[in-house]
Amino acid sequence: MGREREAPQKPQQEEEEGVSYTVEQLVAVNPYNPDILPDLEKYVNEQVSSLTYSLDANLCLLRIYQFEPERMSTQIVARILIKALMAMPAPDFGLCLFLIPERVQMEEQFKTLIVLSHYLETGRFRQFWDEAAKNRHIVEAVPGFEQAIQTYAIHLLSLTYQKVPRSILAEAINIEGLSLDKFLEQQVSNCGWTLEKGHGQVQLIALPSNEFNHPELKKNTADSIPLEHVTRIFPILG
């Protein structure tokens, strides 16, 4: 996934052979080498433009910033945090935030991102989208942000609902009207959703079954004993 680059401070033999390294290899070989900081910053921008993501590389950069605070780019840090939000439900945002000094966290853009993270973690999507709309200049710096959060919202709903009312889905993914109709058509065609009518002609969206919205599908391995294990007990009891 990473671009090939010349590794800093390579042995002379390797330089003569023209050995090149990806960013991931640089991180794996010498993650605390401050000479790779420019490569890591460029890699963050590449992740933004190419819609890719590398938590390990981003954490490595934040650690180097801890040792080189005068070289910290708050723009790069903000992009790392936005990419981490887009990775939810993974705990990446908290992992990244832990490496960012408190004085930096107190800057307005970072306080906004922390609030957005809290809304997502607690499933308060209406507040999240309202806050995001007020701070488009921050979140829209990273392409794919809205789609990633919509994916997370659907994931969260699928853990809770067998059939979700249209109004709740609309609030969670911030889509309404004809745009929501088109979105539902795509989900019905590609993701196994079905549309139903509830009480009072309320439209319900039946989501695919999983072990969370249909607990009976969950296999309790702790309570089940294979038959061959049972048959071995009988001679002992006898």
Side-chain angles (χ1 to χ4, degrees), residues 5 8 23 26-27 30-44 57 60-73 76:
R5 314 173 189 274
V23 170
L26 291 175
V27 170
N30 196 354
Y32 294 99
N33 181 0
D35 292 339
I36 68 174
L37 188 148
D39 291 291
L40 292 171
E41 290 182 329
K42 291 178 183 177
Y43 194 41
V44 171
C60 179
L61 176 56
L62 292 176
R63 292 190 192 100
I64 294 177
Y65 279 155
Q66 287 186 314
F67 295 103
E68 305 271 342
E70 72 282 355
R71 300 175 67 185
M72 177 182 289
S73 165
I76 292 292

Side-chain angles (χ1 to χ4, degrees), residues 116 127-137 139-140 174:
L116 290 176
Q127 291 91 331
F128 169 85
W129 292 114
D130 288 346
E131 188 69 22
K134 298 174 186 175
N135 296 277
R136 292 186 182 278
H137 62 288
V139 297
E140 289 186 352
N174 198 37

Side-chain angles (χ1 to χ4, degrees), residues 1 24 43 46-48 50-59 79-88 90-93 96:
M1 182 175 71
E24 287 83 358
Y43 194 41
E46 286 180 13
Q47 293 173 55
V48 170
S50 63
L51 300 180
T52 55
Y53 181 56
S54 175
L55 175 63
D56 289 340
N58 295 346
L59 289 175
R79 291 184 172 189
I80 288 175
L81 288 179
I82 294 171
K83 294 292 283 188
L85 278 181
M86 294 166 63
M88 291 188 74
D92 299 9
F93 187 88
C96 293

Side-chain angles (χ1 to χ4, degrees), residues 59 81 84-85 90-100 117 121:
L59 289 175
L81 288 179
L85 278 181
D92 299 9
F93 187 88
L95 295 175
C96 293
L97 194 65
F98 181 76
L99 297 174
I100 299 172
S117 171
E121 290 173 353

Side-chain angles (χ1 to χ4, degrees), residues 227 229-238:
L227 179 60
H229 291 186
V230 177
T231 57
R232 291 174 189 167
I233 295 176
F234 288 131
I236 298 175
L237 295 178

Side-chain angles (χ1 to χ4, degrees), residues 2-27 29-30 33-40 42 46:
R3 269 188 7 199
E4 292 190 346
R5 314 173 189 274
E6 291 295 314
Q9 299 182 352
K10 298 192 301 294
Q12 182 177 358
Q13 179 182 359
E14 291 181 347
E15 290 180 352
E16 293 175 352
E17 296 174 354
V19 177
S20 57
Y21 295 83
T22 64
V23 170
E24 287 83 358
Q25 288 170 331
L26 291 175
V27 170
V29 171
N30 196 354
N33 181 0
D35 292 339
I36 68 174
L37 188 148
D39 291 291
L40 292 171
K42 291 178 183 177
E46 286 180 13

